[in-house]
Amino acid sequence: MKRFRPLKRFRPRLGGLRTRLLIAFVLVALISTVTATALAYRESRTAVLARTQDAFQADVRDRVDSVAPDFDMPPDVRTLTAMADSVSSGLSGAPLVVTRYHDLTASSDGLADRTRITPELRASVRSSGRTRFQRVEYRGRPYLVVGTPVTYDGGRVSGLEVFAVTSLLAEQEHTDALLDSVRGGLPPVLGLAALLALLAAGTVLRPVRELGRATRRLADGDLDSRAEVKGRDELARLAADFNTTADALRASVTDLRDQEARARRFVADVSHELRTPLAAMTMVTTVLDEDAAQLPTDAARAARTVSDETARLARLVEDLMEMSRFDSGAARLDAAETDLALTVRGTLELRGWTGQVAARLPEGIRAVVDRRRVDVAVANLVGNALRHGAPPVTVTLSAAAADGVVVEVTDRGPGLPPDALDQVFDRFYKADSARTRSEGSGLGTAIALENARLHGGTIEAANRPAEEGGGAVFTLRLPRHPRQPGGQPDGQDGAGRETATGGGVR
């Protein structure tokens, strides 16, 4: 059963949920405050100006109506000046008053400054015959200009017009002060919004973090990991769904583990039970091989076939037993300090490969390894290259930089198919699926890899570039000291020697 691959640990980032909630709350508070401030400022300004302009218009009309009967018509410049002074003196703040009759104009300040009285306002007063007003800006200051016609005898327009100009600076200062006070209250509002956002984020993220921790524990292989369910909201339902999924996963994994354990026991039991009859069959085939020369041709061919198939079956049984020891965790290292050059050279000599393999084995490279298991791994790789590659086959021993050793087996054959690189160490895998029967069992590279892993090392498969001659490259990497504590040997040297002729993959 393959272990779960642990998930990468979560690291808070700037774009995390807490940060996004905080930003969202602050933005909502900011937009709401700015909008409310703008609306309040507009309404306050409108109310202040409306009150001021309505009051000033009423005062101007009342004052004009009260003083107009005291002046003769048609007026001259002196009369217009006196009327402007009289109207101005009766108004609060003594504003500028300009009187106009056809082409004659006079003002209460004696300068007849008409720049604040726009032609549009004069035309509106003349055409409508009613009181009109206009807000203007003069030299950077706001002013209110009110114009009204002087009428006699029940509304008859006399042609005399009166314009009064008053400053709106006090009203502007009042509304500006209101705006400043609202601006001053903006930072506390944003701070309160941020505090509320942090509290809300904590309430929302607490169950999310708990669910994340439970998920990571489950991914690390803790099938009993569960999330605590609190409340009845969406997060509580999510936690409940997670727990339901975890229960189903635990049940499935437990069932798969039971099935795998039963399958391993079955293979181990069958392999063990086959050893005794296979031993007897091997003795019989040995006798048949010795007497094959005296047998008829067909009988001799049948005897040799039975002998070959019995030997192949014996190797398969031994390979299966070796794999079952790896699966059950019964395989142990019998590690000792070893001269690797001597070990690899002995592997080649024992199997009669010295003349077929070019060995580059520098002296002095030593490591603490299980010599038998290294022999098995190297023999499987070299045998695989000899069967499925093309000469020259080369074995190179070197010292790795990171306190390790490397054994590289290369050939000049066609190399491995691209889709075989990821499956070359799978059990019973053969790159040529049409070749259902071959000399090997298909377990050789898998056993080699398991022996490497038992030392804390690994084996890598690759293809040599075509410009360098092509061919497959198998690289065995071992640490100088095994990561697994050494144990007693399992006493199955025969299995190791037999797996050295195990199946190839190409």
Side-chain angles (χ1 to χ4, degrees):
M1 174 64 65
K2 296 183 179 179
R3 299 185 61 187
F4 293 98
R5 297 181 62 184
L7 296 177
K8 294 183 178 179
R9 298 298 180 187
F10 171 76
R11 296 180 179 178
R13 298 179 298 174
L14 181 61
L17 184 57
R18 180 188 295 273
T19 303
R20 293 200 295 270
L21 284 174
L22 180 60
I23 293 175
F25 268 79
V26 172
L27 285 178
V28 169
L30 179 63
I31 294 173
S32 301
T33 304
V34 170
T35 302
T37 300
L39 293 175
Y41 175 75
R42 188 187 67 178
E43 295 299 326
S44 300
R45 182 173 180 272
T46 301
V48 169
L49 292 178
R51 183 174 62 251
T52 300
Q53 66 195 22
D54 290 345
F56 189 63
Q57 286 184 86
D59 290 344
V60 170
R61 284 196 303 269
D62 292 344
R63 185 60 182 170
V64 170
D65 291 343
S66 63
V67 302
D70 298 334
F71 295 93
D72 298 331
M73 294 295 294
D76 53 14
V77 174
R78 183 178 61 80
T79 302
L80 292 176
T81 301
M83 186 176 183
D85 292 337
S86 178
V87 172
S88 177
S89 61
L91 296 176
S92 176
L96 170 66
V97 175
V98 176
T99 53
R100 176 186 177 85
Y101 183 76
H102 299 303
D103 294 334
L104 300 178
T105 303
S107 63
S108 59
D109 61 357
L111 300 177
D113 185 0
R114 301 189 301 275
T115 54
R116 283 166 281 186
I117 305 172
T118 64
E120 293 81 4
L121 179 61
R122 293 197 299 268
S124 178
V125 171
R126 186 179 304 111
S127 62
S128 65
R130 297 180 180 181
T131 302
R132 293 287 185 266
F133 73 92
Q134 186 179 36
R135 289 191 294 270
V136 299
E137 187 172 323
Y138 178 69
R139 295 180 180 178
R141 292 188 175 186
Y143 289 90
L144 175 64
V145 182
V146 175
T148 182
V150 178
T151 58
Y152 294 98
D153 298 335
R156 182 173 57 85
V157 178
S158 64
L160 178 61
E161 300 166 355
V162 178
F163 298 90
V165 181
T166 186
S167 175
L168 293 177
L169 184 60
E171 286 73 15
Q172 185 181 41
E173 292 175 349
H174 176 73
T175 54
D176 289 345
L178 176 63
L179 182 61
D180 291 339
S181 64
V182 174
R183 287 174 178 170
L186 185 59
V189 171
L190 294 181
L192 179 60
L195 179 60
L196 293 176
L198 289 175
L199 294 176
T203 303
V204 173
L205 293 180
R206 191 176 299 109
V208 173
R209 286 196 297 268
E210 174 60 28
L211 184 60
R213 287 192 290 267
T215 303
R216 289 192 292 273
R217 291 195 300 269
L218 185 65
D220 289 338
D222 182 7
L223 298 180
D224 294 325
S225 176
R226 298 293 183 272
E228 185 177 0
V229 180
K230 293 182 179 179
R232 298 182 178 179
D233 56 7
E234 289 80 0
L235 291 175
R237 289 195 292 271
L238 177 61
D241 292 341
F242 170 81
N243 292 340
T244 302
T245 304
D247 291 337
L249 178 62
R250 180 175 60 181
S252 299
V253 170
T254 302
D255 184 54
L256 289 174
R257 286 175 175 172
D258 291 341
Q259 292 180 17
E260 186 175 19
R262 288 194 296 269
R264 288 175 177 173
R265 285 196 302 269
F266 175 77
V267 171
D269 293 343
V270 169
S271 301
H272 186 270
E273 293 298 327
L274 286 176
R275 294 188 72 183
T276 301
L278 279 174
M281 292 173 62
T282 301
M283 289 188 295
V284 173
T285 55
T286 302
V287 174
L288 290 176
D289 284 338
E290 293 176 352
D291 297 336
Q294 286 77 32
L295 296 176
T297 303
D298 293 340
R301 185 183 304 111
R304 293 189 181 95
T305 301
V306 170
S307 178
D308 292 341
E309 291 300 319
T310 301
R312 180 176 178 275
L313 182 58
R315 287 194 298 271
L316 175 60
V317 169
E318 294 295 343
D319 287 350
L320 289 173
M321 293 191 67
E322 182 78 356
M323 292 305 301
S324 67
R325 282 191 288 272
F326 285 120
D327 292 340
S328 63
R332 293 291 184 270
L333 289 179
D334 183 18
E337 187 172 358
T338 304
D339 186 329
L340 292 178
L342 182 62
T343 300
V344 175
R345 190 176 296 112
T347 299
L348 301 179
E349 292 175 354
L350 178 63
R351 292 159 180 85
W353 292 339
T354 303
Q356 305 176 55
V357 177
R360 300 171 184 172
L361 308 174
E363 301 295 336
I365 299 180
R366 305 180 67 85
V368 179
V369 298
D370 186 327
R371 181 171 179 173
R372 183 186 67 81
R373 295 189 179 278
V374 173
D375 172 80
V376 170
V378 174
N380 274 296
L381 298 181
V382 175
N384 184 66
L386 290 173
R387 280 189 299 273
H388 305 293
V393 175
T394 304
V395 179
T396 304
L397 173 65
S398 61
D403 191 26
V405 294
V406 175
V407 179
E408 188 177 78
V409 179
T410 62
D411 64 67
R412 294 300 177 90
L416 293 165
D419 58 345
L421 290 174
D422 295 332
Q423 306 176 60
V424 67
F425 296 105
D426 291 349
R427 301 175 185 183
F428 299 106
Y429 176 76
K430 297 178 182 179
D432 186 1
S433 59
R435 182 163 38 86
T436 57
R437 291 183 58 84
S438 66
E439 179 184 351
S441 65
L443 291 172
T445 52
I447 291 176
L449 179 60
E450 292 295 342
N451 280 309
R453 287 175 174 172
L454 199 61
H455 287 83
T458 185
I459 302 179
E460 301 169 357
N463 287 323
R464 187 196 303 269
E467 55 270 16
E468 297 181 10
V473 181
F474 285 83
T475 305
L476 169 63
R477 302 181 187 276
L478 297 174
R480 289 185 182 270
H481 298 276
R483 299 171 191 172
Q484 174 178 328
Q488 296 297 323
D490 53 24
Q492 300 297 331
D493 290 348
R497 285 192 293 270
E498 290 297 337
T499 55
T501 59
V505 295
R506 286 177 284 161

